[in-house]
Amino acid sequence: LPEGFDYIGCDTAQTLSLAEGLDGDLMGRYAELARDCGVWVSLGGFHERGHDWATTRRIYNCHALLDPAGRLVAAYRKTHLCDVELEGRVTMRESSFTNPGTEIVPPVSTPAGKLGLCICYDLRFPEMSLALRRAGAEILTYPSAFTVPTDSAHWEVLLRARAIESQCYVVAAAQTGRNHERRTSYGHALVVDPWGAVVAQCREGTGLCYAEIDLDYLHRVRREIPVNSHRRPELYGT
């Protein structure tokens, strides 16, 4: 599910007032859903009241991963916060009410492959996708709530670039449609394969898309163009 799957508030006050902890009622209901359906659930962009809520009065943007038993197996807190201003079009100040996460979470082994957790604006930072690839990721997730001006220009090209450079599948759930009177999301959730081809895509409006994750194909792409072994980290400052 996309960033802000729980809600998208009309303003900062509402956003903070509705936030819960990972041990709250909402996550409990999704854990029950995972158990009832027997599926893994990626909840990308939960408004989390963390351990420091009492002192900071800020939340975390948390990507929670549940297994089919409803257990929380990973929680990634968004490290790159979206502070942008497109004159006359979009103004966002995520850092005004959100604490940045402090670490990249190691990829999680799932039946579909090793899953790397990201959120939305992280998409603009290839360093993160490459770090997850070095850590063993085979699938990168970018649950998002892109605005229309930025999404229509950059959404697909950035997702395809992250897939090509990391040689991973990229899965990007996306908010779609009018969230409230001052915000509309672009939608176009999609899946990209390690060659950079879009293999599944939604259009505008609520929907689902399905894609096959072929790890044999992924490893063939990596063998044929072994960019990971050709990298020169000593030149890049990493």
Side-chain angles (χ1 to χ4, degrees):
L1 294 176
E3 183 182 32
F5 72 93
D6 46 358
Y7 60 87
I8 291 184
C10 294
D11 54 36
T12 298
Q14 185 183 58
T15 298
L16 294 176
S17 71
L18 294 173
E20 298 182 9
L22 289 173
D23 58 352
D25 176 68
L26 185 64
M27 289 301 296
R29 287 157 58 195
Y30 277 96
E32 184 179 356
L33 185 68
R35 289 192 298 270
D36 289 347
C37 296
V39 296
W40 290 73
V41 183
S42 160
L43 300 169
F46 174 68
H47 296 84
E48 179 200 2
R49 288 192 182 186
H51 66 282
D52 54 1
W53 165 253
T55 55
T56 68
R57 292 293 161 175
R58 293 171 179 242
I59 59 175
Y60 291 90
N61 190 338
C62 181
H63 184 168
L65 185 67
L66 305 178
D67 71 10
R71 293 184 295 253
L72 179 69
V73 294
Y76 162 70
R77 295 168 178 89
K78 190 177 183 182
T79 51
H80 302 100
L81 301 183
C82 186
D83 289 358
V84 301
E85 186 164 356
L86 305 182
E87 190 172 348
R89 292 182 289 170
V90 175
T91 298
M92 298 186 68
R93 290 283 182 270
E94 189 175 17
S95 65
S96 68
F97 60 90
T98 305
N99 292 312
T102 59
E103 61 180 356
I104 297 174
V105 172
V108 179
S109 293
T110 77
K114 293 181 180 177
L115 200 70
L117 305 183
C118 310
I119 303 173
C120 197
Y121 193 59
D122 292 330
L123 176 59
R124 295 185 181 274
F125 300 89
E127 298 89 346
M128 186 168 179
S129 64
L130 295 177
L132 286 166
R133 162 69 199 273
R134 287 194 299 272
E138 296 166 314
I139 305 166
L140 301 176
T141 52
Y142 289 98
S144 298
F146 262 65
T147 64
V148 171
T150 55
D151 216 343
S152 57
H154 299 153
W155 175 244
E156 182 176 317
V157 70
L158 283 172
L159 290 166
R160 294 179 70 189
R162 297 297 83 86
I164 293 166
E165 70 202 4
S166 66
Q167 297 176 315
C168 289
Y169 280 91
V170 167
V171 179
Q175 283 280 349
T176 184
R178 192 171 180 83
N179 303 117
H180 52 71
E181 64 274 8
R182 290 180 287 108
R183 181 191 167 90
T184 301
S185 295
Y186 181 68
H188 295 260
L190 56 80
V191 181
V192 187
D193 75 11
W195 190 251
V198 177
V199 292
Q201 185 172 13
C202 296
R203 299 298 175 184
E204 294 180 20
T206 305
L208 295 171
C209 62
Y210 299 88
E212 180 181 356
I213 303 297
D214 185 344
L215 296 183
D216 289 339
Y217 174 66
L218 177 145
H219 292 294
R220 178 162 67 86
V221 169
R222 292 182 177 186
R223 285 195 307 271
E224 291 177 346
I225 309 181
V227 292
N228 212 43
S229 63
H230 295 159
R231 288 199 166 90
R232 298 284 305 278
E234 73 278 10
L235 302 181
Y236 313 146
T238 53

